[in-house]
mmCIF file of all heavy atoms in Angstrom:
data_model
loop_
_atom_site.group_PDB
_atom_site.id
_atom_site.type_symbol
_atom_site.label_atom_id
_atom_site.label_comp_id
_atom_site.label_asym_id
_atom_site.label_seq_id
_atom_site.Cartn_x
_atom_site.Cartn_y
_atom_site.Cartn_z
ATOM 1 N N VAL A 321 -18.092 -1.067 3.194
ATOM 2 C CA VAL A 321 -18.525 -1.952 2.177
ATOM 3 C C VAL A 321 -17.312 -2.123 1.183
ATOM 4 O O VAL A 321 -17.047 -1.277 0.383
ATOM 5 C CB VAL A 321 -19.869 -1.674 1.519
ATOM 6 C CG1 VAL A 321 -20.128 -2.582 0.417
ATOM 7 C CG2 VAL A 321 -20.960 -1.575 2.572
ATOM 8 N N LYS A 323 -16.710 -4.468 -1.290
ATOM 9 C CA LYS A 323 -16.931 -5.200 -2.572
ATOM 10 C C LYS A 323 -16.269 -4.498 -3.726
ATOM 11 O O LYS A 323 -16.262 -3.235 -3.728
ATOM 12 C CB LYS A 323 -18.401 -5.290 -2.884
ATOM 13 C CG LYS A 323 -19.149 -3.980 -3.137
ATOM 14 C CD LYS A 323 -20.629 -4.181 -3.197
ATOM 15 C CE LYS A 323 -21.332 -2.756 -3.575
ATOM 16 N NZ LYS A 323 -22.728 -2.710 -3.351
ATOM 17 N N ASN A 344 -20.921 -8.339 -0.636
ATOM 18 C CA ASN A 344 -22.181 -8.702 -1.183
ATOM 19 C C ASN A 344 -22.140 -10.003 -1.933
ATOM 20 O O ASN A 344 -23.173 -10.592 -2.307
ATOM 21 C CB ASN A 344 -22.908 -7.642 -1.945
ATOM 22 C CG ASN A 344 -22.205 -7.418 -3.429
ATOM 23 O OD1 ASN A 344 -20.919 -7.729 -3.444
ATOM 24 N ND2 ASN A 344 -22.854 -6.863 -4.307
ATOM 25 N N ILE A 368 -24.016 -8.648 2.920
ATOM 26 C CA ILE A 368 -25.105 -7.688 2.620
ATOM 27 C C ILE A 368 -25.779 -7.922 1.285
ATOM 28 O O ILE A 368 -26.566 -7.143 0.840
ATOM 29 C CB ILE A 368 -24.564 -6.160 2.738
ATOM 30 C CG1 ILE A 368 -23.437 -6.017 1.781
ATOM 31 C CG2 ILE A 368 -24.039 -5.908 4.099
ATOM 32 C CD1 ILE A 368 -23.043 -4.583 1.619
ATOM 33 N N GLY A 369 -25.260 -8.999 0.533
ATOM 34 C CA GLY A 369 -25.875 -9.299 -0.764
ATOM 35 C C GLY A 369 -26.668 -10.561 -0.723
ATOM 36 O O GLY A 369 -26.618 -11.335 0.278
ATOM 37 N N THR A 388 -28.998 -10.836 5.097
ATOM 38 C CA THR A 388 -29.945 -10.961 3.934
ATOM 39 C C THR A 388 -30.852 -12.209 4.003
ATOM 40 O O THR A 388 -31.195 -12.684 2.960
ATOM 41 C CB THR A 388 -29.068 -10.933 2.578
ATOM 42 O OG1 THR A 388 -28.092 -11.913 2.789
ATOM 43 C CG2 THR A 388 -28.523 -9.546 2.428
ATOM 44 N N GLN A 414 -33.754 -9.196 5.762
ATOM 45 C CA GLN A 414 -33.894 -8.101 4.714
ATOM 46 C C GLN A 414 -35.370 -7.958 4.406
ATOM 47 O O GLN A 414 -36.026 -8.938 4.104
ATOM 48 C CB GLN A 414 -33.066 -8.454 3.491
ATOM 49 C CG GLN A 414 -33.103 -7.297 2.491
ATOM 50 C CD GLN A 414 -32.294 -7.553 1.257
ATOM 51 O OE1 GLN A 414 -31.485 -8.418 1.177
ATOM 52 N NE2 GLN A 414 -32.336 -6.623 0.215
ATOM 53 N N MET A 449 -32.894 -5.259 7.839
ATOM 54 C CA MET A 449 -32.045 -4.490 7.015
ATOM 55 C C MET A 449 -32.972 -4.187 5.810
ATOM 56 O O MET A 449 -33.909 -4.940 5.558
ATOM 57 C CB MET A 449 -30.855 -5.498 6.536
ATOM 58 C CG MET A 449 -29.953 -4.977 5.431
ATOM 59 S SD MET A 449 -30.500 -5.309 3.777
ATOM 60 C CE MET A 449 -28.853 -5.461 2.974
ATOM 61 N N CYS A 450 -32.693 -3.065 5.207
ATOM 62 C CA CYS A 450 -33.380 -2.712 3.962
ATOM 63 C C CYS A 450 -32.544 -1.824 2.928
ATOM 64 O O CYS A 450 -31.566 -1.255 3.461
ATOM 65 C CB CYS A 450 -34.663 -1.897 4.297
ATOM 66 S SG CYS A 450 -34.504 -0.120 4.695
ATOM 67 N N ILE A 451 -32.882 -1.880 1.776
ATOM 68 C CA ILE A 451 -32.334 -0.977 0.737
ATOM 69 C C ILE A 451 -33.431 -0.375 0.078
ATOM 70 O O ILE A 451 -34.177 -0.926 -0.711
ATOM 71 C CB ILE A 451 -31.571 -1.930 -0.328
ATOM 72 C CG1 ILE A 451 -30.565 -2.852 0.357
ATOM 73 C CG2 ILE A 451 -30.847 -1.003 -1.366
ATOM 74 C CD1 ILE A 451 -30.023 -3.902 -0.640
ATOM 75 N N GLY A 480 -29.019 2.681 5.436
ATOM 76 C CA GLY A 480 -28.263 3.837 5.037
ATOM 77 C C GLY A 480 -26.948 3.420 4.379
ATOM 78 O O GLY A 480 -26.197 2.525 4.873
ATOM 79 N N MET A 481 -26.717 4.112 3.199
ATOM 80 C CA MET A 481 -25.460 3.872 2.384
ATOM 81 C C MET A 481 -24.842 5.276 2.185
ATOM 82 O O MET A 481 -25.187 6.121 2.968
ATOM 83 C CB MET A 481 -25.820 3.216 1.063
ATOM 84 C CG MET A 481 -26.957 2.174 1.261
ATOM 85 S SD MET A 481 -27.265 1.008 -0.044
ATOM 86 C CE MET A 481 -26.645 1.468 -1.554
ATOM 87 N N SER A 482 -23.794 5.242 1.330
ATOM 88 C CA SER A 482 -23.106 6.567 1.304
ATOM 89 C C SER A 482 -23.995 7.747 1.102
ATOM 90 O O SER A 482 -23.734 8.863 1.610
ATOM 91 C CB SER A 482 -22.084 6.484 0.136
ATOM 92 O OG SER A 482 -21.107 5.584 0.363
ATOM 93 N N ALA A 483 -25.078 7.590 0.206
ATOM 94 C CA ALA A 483 -25.905 8.753 -0.033
ATOM 95 C C ALA A 483 -26.855 9.178 1.068
ATOM 96 O O ALA A 483 -27.382 10.307 1.084
ATOM 97 C CB ALA A 483 -26.691 8.477 -1.330
ATOM 98 N N ARG A 497 -24.066 1.140 6.170
ATOM 99 C CA ARG A 497 -23.196 0.409 5.151
ATOM 100 C C ARG A 497 -22.630 1.352 4.190
ATOM 101 O O ARG A 497 -23.450 1.773 3.231
ATOM 102 C CB ARG A 497 -24.109 -0.694 4.442
ATOM 103 C CG ARG A 497 -24.869 -1.587 5.491
ATOM 104 C CD ARG A 497 -25.651 -2.561 4.644
ATOM 105 N NE ARG A 497 -26.538 -1.921 3.644
ATOM 106 C CZ ARG A 497 -27.780 -1.633 3.821
ATOM 107 N NH1 ARG A 497 -28.420 -1.935 4.981
ATOM 108 N NH2 ARG A 497 -28.513 -1.126 2.863
ATOM 109 N N VAL A 498 -21.432 1.794 4.335
ATOM 110 C CA VAL A 498 -20.906 2.842 3.513
ATOM 111 C C VAL A 498 -19.758 2.226 2.578
ATOM 112 O O VAL A 498 -18.740 1.772 3.150
ATOM 113 C CB VAL A 498 -20.431 4.089 4.242
ATOM 114 C CG1 VAL A 498 -19.891 5.136 3.364
ATOM 115 C CG2 VAL A 498 -21.576 4.616 5.080
ATOM 116 N N GLY A 499 -19.928 2.314 1.304
ATOM 117 C CA GLY A 499 -18.876 1.794 0.406
ATOM 118 C C GLY A 499 -18.070 2.870 -0.216
ATOM 119 O O GLY A 499 -16.930 3.242 0.242
ATOM 120 N N SER A 500 -18.610 3.542 -1.169
ATOM 121 C CA SER A 500 -17.817 4.490 -1.955
ATOM 122 C C SER A 500 -17.412 5.711 -1.041
ATOM 123 O O SER A 500 -16.345 6.353 -1.234
ATOM 124 C CB SER A 500 -18.582 4.999 -3.075
ATOM 125 O OG SER A 500 -19.991 5.194 -2.831
ATOM 126 N N GLY A 501 -18.254 6.039 0.019
ATOM 127 C CA GLY A 501 -17.861 7.120 0.945
ATOM 128 C C GLY A 501 -16.554 6.822 1.614
ATOM 129 O O GLY A 501 -15.714 7.706 1.856
ATOM 130 N N GLY A 504 -13.919 5.280 -2.040
ATOM 131 C CA GLY A 504 -13.955 5.901 -3.342
ATOM 132 C C GLY A 504 -14.875 5.150 -4.298
ATOM 133 O O GLY A 504 -15.327 4.114 -3.912
ATOM 134 N N GLU A 505 -15.115 5.689 -5.488
ATOM 135 C CA GLU A 505 -16.021 4.911 -6.409
ATOM 136 C C GLU A 505 -15.492 3.592 -6.654
ATOM 137 O O GLU A 505 -14.327 3.400 -6.774
ATOM 138 C CB GLU A 505 -16.108 5.797 -7.668
ATOM 139 C CG GLU A 505 -16.898 7.111 -7.553
ATOM 140 C CD GLU A 505 -18.304 6.900 -6.933
ATOM 141 O OE1 GLU A 505 -18.954 5.954 -7.328
ATOM 142 O OE2 GLU A 505 -18.659 7.752 -6.062
ATOM 143 N N ARG A 506 -16.415 2.699 -6.869
ATOM 144 C CA ARG A 506 -16.074 1.315 -7.256
ATOM 145 C C ARG A 506 -15.695 1.320 -8.814
ATOM 146 O O ARG A 506 -16.543 1.907 -9.546
ATOM 147 C CB ARG A 506 -17.187 0.247 -7.016
ATOM 148 C CG ARG A 506 -17.323 -0.053 -5.531
ATOM 149 C CD ARG A 506 -18.554 -0.967 -5.376
ATOM 150 N NE ARG A 506 -19.735 -0.421 -5.614
ATOM 151 C CZ ARG A 506 -20.330 0.370 -4.596
ATOM 152 N NH1 ARG A 506 -19.843 0.567 -3.417
ATOM 153 N NH2 ARG A 506 -21.531 0.859 -4.832
ATOM 154 N N TYR A 508 -15.520 -0.878 -11.985
ATOM 155 C CA TYR A 508 -15.829 -2.164 -12.460
ATOM 156 C C TYR A 508 -15.204 -2.413 -13.757
ATOM 157 O O TYR A 508 -15.026 -1.538 -14.558
ATOM 158 C CB TYR A 508 -17.433 -2.304 -12.672
ATOM 159 C CG TYR A 508 -18.245 -2.271 -11.471
ATOM 160 C CD1 TYR A 508 -18.608 -1.037 -10.907
ATOM 161 C CD2 TYR A 508 -18.689 -3.419 -10.844
ATOM 162 C CE1 TYR A 508 -19.439 -1.043 -9.799
ATOM 163 C CE2 TYR A 508 -19.392 -3.392 -9.679
ATOM 164 C CZ TYR A 508 -19.793 -2.234 -9.138
ATOM 165 O OH TYR A 508 -20.517 -2.169 -8.014
HETATM 166 C C1 PLP B 79 -22.815 -1.702 -2.339
HETATM 167 C C2 PLP B 79 -23.733 -1.666 -1.150
HETATM 168 C C3 PLP B 79 -23.655 -0.671 -0.169
HETATM 169 C C4 PLP B 79 -22.657 0.479 -0.284
HETATM 170 O O1 PLP B 79 -23.029 1.368 -1.297
HETATM 171 P P1 PLP B 79 -22.330 2.835 -1.399
HETATM 172 O O2 PLP B 79 -23.320 3.596 -2.140
HETATM 173 O O3 PLP B 79 -21.073 2.650 -2.073
HETATM 174 O O4 PLP B 79 -22.138 3.346 0.004
HETATM 175 C C5 PLP B 79 -24.519 -0.645 0.917
HETATM 176 N N1 PLP B 79 -25.502 -1.811 1.012
HETATM 177 C C6 PLP B 79 -25.527 -2.725 0.057
HETATM 178 C C7 PLP B 79 -26.558 -3.730 0.275
HETATM 179 C C8 PLP B 79 -24.795 -2.750 -1.006
HETATM 180 O O5 PLP B 79 -24.899 -3.716 -1.889
#
Side-chain angles (χ1 to χ4, degrees):
V321 177
K323 65 185 184 197
N344 70 337
I368 61 172
T388 50
Q414 181 177 354
M449 175 270 213
C450 77
I451 309 169
M481 319 196 342
S482 294
R497 308 179 306 266
V498 181
S500 40
E505 290 306 318
R506 287 178 288 278
Y508 293 86

